[in-house]
């Protein structure tokens, strides 16, 4: 697939949506750190509350970013 892309060939492998589309940009490390820490805190809190998830984790689940999504 990579050789086909480098040669500019257009075939089934190079037109696959996973190959042809650009991924959603992920923020650089300094921007992700607060979100990761908030998620870790929310997961720890849910563990101490017998699995009851708070609003933050429910929001992540609703947009497809949670562990139960």
């Amino acid at each position: 697939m990579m050789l086909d892309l480098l040669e500019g060939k257009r075939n089934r492998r190079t037109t696959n949506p996973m190959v042809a589309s650009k991924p959603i940009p992920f923020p650089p490390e300094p921007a992700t750190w607060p979100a990761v820490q908030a998620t870790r805190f929310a997961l720890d809190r849910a563990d101490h509350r017998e699995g009851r998830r708070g609003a933050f984790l429910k929001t992540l689940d609703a947009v497809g970013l949670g562990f139960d999504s």
Side-chain angles (χ1 to χ4, degrees):
M1 178 217 23
M2 182 52 98
L3 292 175
D4 288 348
L5 285 171
L6 289 172
E7 291 179 8
K9 290 183 181 177
R10 192 160 167 79
N11 56 32
R12 197 176 91 201
R13 288 185 296 262
T14 59
T15 57
N16 181 335
M18 191 167 95
V19 174
S21 65
K22 292 189 179 224
I24 297 171
F26 199 72
E29 182 59 35
T32 59
W33 187 84
V36 169
Q37 296 306 315
T39 305
R40 290 178 63 203
F41 175 78
L43 287 169
D44 185 53
R45 188 170 176 196
D47 283 345
H48 287 91
R49 292 176 30 184
E50 299 176 354
R52 290 189 309 269
R53 297 162 91 69
F56 183 71
L57 291 178
K58 287 180 183 178
T59 302
L60 289 180
D61 290 339
V63 293
L65 296 174
F67 292 106
D68 289 342
S69 57

